[in-house]
Amino acid sequence: MVELANTMDWPLVKGIVSDLDGVVYRGRTAILDAVEAFRNWQAEGIPFCFVTNNSTHTAKDVVTKLNGFGLETTQDNVVTSAATAAQLIRQSYPAGTRIYVVGAPSLRKAILDAELVITDKQPAIVIMGLDREITHEKLRIAVDAVLKGAVLIGTNPDLLLPTPTGFEPGAGAILTAVATAARVKPIIVGKPEVYMIEAALSRLGTDRATTLMIGDQIPTDIQAGKRAGLCSVLVTTGVPPVEDPSLQAPDFIISSLKQIPLKR
Ligand SMILES: [Mg+2]
């Protein structure tokens, strides 16, 4: 995709919600302009909160990584799909609700931290994130539970994840296997849904009109930002953008976060 001329003026930026992978880092490598941009915003007192669909890392893991890149953060700066999913469940279900978890240890921790019980016996909810140890047995238990009435929740809809050598199936691909077999539509927590954006906004306490949503993917980051009413910024440092006319276009397309004006 070519870099398009931006047609509107930048708002006076008072808060930032941002994706992580492809924006602040690529895998284990920091994107230096981005780290510097966030440090500049920090110095100006502009609050930011990261929202990540990745359910295989805890907020603490993310903070350790960001601090290692020289961007001092705390867990207040990070909203994960796993923690958001657990909080959403607790809005409708009491402590002790039985949950079957397909996912990484970080997702299991988020569920346990929310005082929910992990079990494969008669769960009320099946929650699925990225599970690199997925087996047919796990899929069987999930499908069987959903057919017996359990609610199916996915941490995120991402179908493909980039790897150093190519791609791997994401949480959405595993979720789709169960949803297809059981013929149900799962509840999705991560972007493009707005739950994590709303969680970030309540932490920032900023107005939607002066808060940016920054991301590298139109189907997830930009759609979530637009749905939540934020000014959406696509940065071309991550996954190569796919043209899809059915999706809402970003308000701005930039190649470096340093192109975002600090002040007007
Ligand atoms: Mg990304």
Side-chain angles (χ1 to χ4, degrees):
M1 184 192 277
V2 293
E3 194 167 334
L4 300 174
N6 295 313
T7 53
M8 59 185 270
D9 290 333
W10 287 96
L12 181 61
V13 179
K14 293 194 173 166
I16 291 171
V17 181
S18 178
D19 179 43
L20 282 166
D21 211 343
V23 176
V24 182
Y25 47 71
R26 275 184 296 262
R28 292 180 188 166
T29 311
I31 298 171
L32 297 178
D33 271 11
V35 171
E36 199 178 322
F38 276 98
R39 287 170 58 115
N40 290 340
W41 286 317
Q42 203 162 39
E44 291 291 323
I46 296 171
F48 52 82
C49 187
F50 296 107
V51 288
T52 175
N53 270 4
N54 187 331
S55 66
T56 64
H57 299 296
T58 64
K60 194 175 165 196
D61 296 336
V62 172
V63 165
T64 303
K65 187 168 183 173
L66 292 173
N67 290 356
F69 292 148
L71 181 59
E72 287 298 321
T73 50
T74 70
Q75 292 185 44
D76 280 346
N77 296 111
V78 182
V79 171
T80 68
S81 62
T84 306
Q87 284 154 13
L88 269 179
I89 291 170
R90 281 308 309 280
Q91 284 174 17
S92 306
Y93 293 84
T97 297
R98 302 158 74 88
I99 317 281
Y100 182 59
V101 179
V102 178
S106 52
L107 179 58
R108 300 177 70 85
K109 182 177 185 310
I111 292 296
L112 294 174
D113 285 350
E115 300 178 312
L116 298 162
V117 172
I118 298 177
T119 177
D120 59 2
K121 306 281 188 304
Q122 299 174 320
I125 293 168
V126 172
I127 185 161
M128 302 185 69
L130 179 60
D131 186 340
R132 292 195 170 94
E133 293 170 4
I134 188 73
T135 61
H136 183 269
E137 178 65 1
K138 290 181 182 178
L139 295 175
R140 182 193 68 74
I141 294 168
V143 167
D144 193 54
V146 172
L147 287 174
K148 286 173 177 159
V151 173
L152 181 60
I153 299 178
T155 57
N156 68 78
D158 301 40
L159 296 174
L160 276 180
L161 299 177
T163 70
T165 54
F167 290 93
E168 64 171 333
I174 302 168
L175 176 69
T176 301
V178 172
T180 304
R183 293 177 181 267
V184 296
K185 192 169 182 290
I187 295 166
I188 302 285
V189 175
K191 298 168 284 182
E193 302 303 327
V194 298
Y195 302 112
M196 292 200 298
I197 314 297
E198 295 296 340
L201 282 171
S202 68
R203 290 192 194 181
L204 295 177
T206 51
D207 281 346
R208 287 164 206 266
T210 54
T211 305
L212 303 183
M213 171 67 214
I214 303 171
D216 67 319
Q217 297 208 49
I218 292 176
T220 50
D221 304 316
I222 300 304
Q223 301 315 294
K226 297 293 273 188
R227 287 179 188 178
L230 306 190
C231 175
S232 63
V233 181
L234 184 79
V235 61
T236 57
T237 46
V239 172
V242 187
E243 299 275 5
D244 184 342
S246 72
L247 297 174
Q248 296 196 77
D251 296 310
F252 294 94
I253 301 176
I254 55 176
S255 56
S256 162
L257 294 197
K258 288 170 82 177
Q259 288 170 255
I260 299 173
L262 203 57
K263 282 180 182 162
R264 203 165 40 178

